[in-house]
Amino acid sequence: MNTTASAQPVSGDRLTLDEGAIDAARKSLDDGALTPSYGPWRDDIVKLLNDALATELVCVLRYKRHYFTANGVSSPAIADEFLVHANEESAHADRIAERIVQLGGEPDFSPATLLARSHASYDESENLQAMVRANLVAERIAVETYRQMIVLIGDKDPTTRRMLEDILSDEEEHADELKDWLGH
């Protein structure tokens, strides 16, 4: 009985469910949504998500700093956009942390290791254009890391993949908005 397989085609024209995996789902009820079919990938997925969580938290901090310190002719509008992005990144972090818990993991909010685990950097630029540029770089990094995570996870965890695809869409929108601000 293969309890780590998902539904598999049995022949060229028939799809059947893995009855062994369904039977295994009747056991270990304390695991909630985490069934044996998550198999060996759960720990790797939780690690990827914790790194993404660190990235989102660093992005919140960077955007918040830029929001409060932006100055110049265009600064009110751009600062407002920094705050919108900070709040959206915070919502991403919340979604990621919730998914980590659903997978039976522990979300890592430790400030001591946050920057080391983040794919993006913190930035203390004082020039408005440098702030926009730093945030655009971070968004482009987020786009690339989420794209890679989506490919790595594939069909191993469709729920996480869909969440990451949704977050990726937001990150691409952020990058486009920031690119437009570079000309101001």
Side-chain angles (χ1 to χ4, degrees):
M1 168 171 49
N2 182 359
T3 60
T4 60
S6 59
Q8 297 292 323
V10 177
S11 68
D13 59 1
R14 288 186 38 214
L15 297 176
T16 60
L17 297 178
D18 181 340
E19 293 298 327
I22 293 169
D23 188 48
R26 292 182 174 95
K27 300 171 177 70
S28 302
L29 299 181
D30 290 341
D31 291 341
L34 190 63
T35 64
S37 64
Y38 280 87
W41 306 111
R42 187 198 68 88
D43 290 343
D44 291 341
I45 292 169
V46 168
K47 163 79 168 82
L48 288 170
L49 290 176
N50 263 316
D51 290 350
L53 176 61
T55 302
E56 294 292 349
L57 294 171
V58 167
C59 287
V60 169
L61 296 173
R62 187 188 58 256
Y63 273 124
K64 285 283 194 161
R65 183 184 196 288
H66 291 170
Y67 167 72
F68 286 109
T69 61
N71 57 51
V73 175
S74 301
S75 67
I78 295 175
D80 287 346
E81 195 64 32
F82 289 161
L83 182 59
V84 167
H85 287 198
N87 291 334
E88 290 173 352
E89 305 295 359
S90 181
H92 295 163
D94 291 349
R95 290 181 67 192
I96 292 167
E98 181 179 4
R99 184 64 185 149
I100 290 168
V101 171
Q102 287 173 341
L103 290 171
E106 296 284 330
D108 188 349
F109 285 90
S110 173
T113 61
L114 202 57
L115 208 55
R117 293 180 293 115
S118 173
H119 300 291
S121 300
Y122 184 73
D123 179 75
E124 296 180 351
S125 295
E126 295 179 14
N127 171 284
L128 191 58
Q129 286 301 101
M131 290 177 187
V132 171
R133 189 173 305 283
N135 286 309
L136 178 54
V137 167
E139 293 294 354
R140 288 174 50 84
I141 288 168
V143 165
E144 181 59 23
T145 56
Y146 282 123
R147 189 196 64 71
Q148 288 185 30
M149 288 172 64
I150 290 163
V151 170
L152 285 171
I153 291 171
D155 290 336
K156 295 169 188 72
D157 181 353
T159 302
T160 297
R161 185 191 69 239
R162 282 190 307 273
M163 177 193 71
L164 295 174
E165 288 168 345
D166 189 41
I167 293 172
L168 172 61
S169 177
D170 289 346
E171 304 297 6
E172 288 173 340
E173 184 178 314
H174 292 172
D176 284 343
E177 292 166 355
L178 290 163
K179 178 188 65 77
D180 292 343
W181 284 109
L182 274 180
H184 286 81

